[in-house]
Structure formats: structure tokens, C-alpha cells
Amino acid sequence: MSGTAVPGASEAAGPAEGIRTRVKRQLARRVGARPGEGVTVLIYHRVGGGSPDELDVTTADFTAQVDLLAELPPGRVVPLDEAVDRIEAGRRTPAAVLTFDDGFADVYENAWPLLRERALPFTVYLASGHVGGEMRWEGSTAKAAGAPALSWEQLREMTASGLCTVANHTRSHARPELLTTAELDACNDDVEQHLGVRPRHYAYTWGVPVPLMEAALRARFRSAATGEVGRNVPGVDPVRLRRVPVRRTDPIDFFRAKLYGRLIPERAYARIVATAKAVGARA
């Protein structure tokens, strides 16, 4: 699959996307003017992958987003380790962390040049068993067609820059109910063998916490990230970090709203989607 972005703005892919974008633009008008306290961990999956999936952000939109992040005051976009340091130290200073789940090759092709140029740190939560092959599993953003995965050579280049942190996302992208210590350790072993570092952070697949595995996670990692929407302030459980998703239908004002206020637009949109699904509409 080509890494070329879908031409045009986010609304270009169809009427449904246009509606979502317009709704978000209206919601973003409710945002405050002050940065949200604590750490905002942004979730990306794909960039410019050419699919219609909501988690496949166009390269043009991603460029506008990282331009906004690059304009923030120094110390506002930080590596994941520094973010955890701040939380543990009781600091409520606003900060943003960029994270990419799974390990799609289009992150290297389309996101990496922009991040490198702007010197923005980021984390890749890697499903290590797919490296060098195809990204394909139930519910993946590649769907049944599959999509190229990152290679170890690409990962070495990004980590050598000092900007990229590689973290654990299981070896096979195991479903939450199938999460085992073997999956965790196999991913850690793969990363250590190929990159010379052992992951210090983990992200739950599908964002679903697995309480029975928390002891194993605490023994292996500094943090574990969920899909629960929210910011991370002092007192948050490090194996229950909250995150904020970035989607292809997010206009730039809605993206900016993710960094400010109380995530009111994001939560309001989630309620609208939940209501639409409850009555059988496509959201």
C-alpha cells in the first residue's frame, strides 16, 4: 500500500466525514483559552496510509497538527519518560506526548520526516511480531487488506535520533482477554534483540485495561496506557494512563481543543457517537 495521503482536507472522503468534521468544528467553539493541566497523551495509529479509516490521519492534517505542537512553548511536547517523571513528581504543568500504536510503515514514511524536522519526541507502541511484514488482525486500521509494517531498520533510524521511544504493544497484538506474560516478554525480547533497549512502557491493545495483568505490568514497565479519555495529573495510576485519540475528521480547531480546557469537545463528541450507535446510525 502506498504511503500517499488522500488528497484534500479531511472532509473530502465523503458525506459522513463531512458531517463529523462540521459537528467537531461547532464543538470546538466551546474550548477554553488555557492549556489543560497535566499530561495529554495523544493517540495516533496511521498517517497518510490512504485508507478511509477514522484512525488514518491524512498527511496534510498531521502536518498542521505538528506545526501547532511545534509552536507551543519549550517543554510542552515531551518524551513519555519525562511525562511520567512529571506525574510522579506531582507537577501539573501542561504537557503533550505523541504516541503511535501498532507500528505501521506509513508512520516512518509520512510522520517521521515531519517529526524529525520539528524535533518532536514521540513513542511507538510496537506489536513486534508484525515488524517487517503486514499489519493485519481483527479490527485493525488496515482491515482485511493488510498494510506494511515498520522494519527494524526504520525503527533503528528513528530511535538513533533520540526522538523515538519504542514501547510494548504485545508481540501479536493480542486481544485483551488473551494477554499473557509470554506476549509481553516476547515483545520486550524482540525489541531488545533488534534495538538494544528493553521497553519501559506498555499500551493495552484496543485500549482495554486487564486488571488481572496489572501486577505483571508493574513488574516490567514504568507505565501502561489505556484508551480511557482524559489527562494525566499527579495521583493517576501509572498503569492506567489516560489518552486522547486523534482522528482523520478532526479539524485543526478540534485538535487544538484536545490540548486545552477540560476536553469538553472530545467528551461531547463521544456522547454524540454513542447516542448515534444506540439508535443504529453510522457514526
Side-chain angles (χ1 to χ4, degrees), residues 147-158:
L150 289 165
S151 69
W152 289 115
E153 182 178 356
Q154 291 168 340
L155 286 159
R156 276 192 290 272
E157 177 187 326
M158 293 192 295

Side-chain angles (χ1 to χ4, degrees), residues 31-42:
V31 71
R34 296 180 59 186
E37 289 187 339
V39 176
T40 304
V41 182
L42 300 171

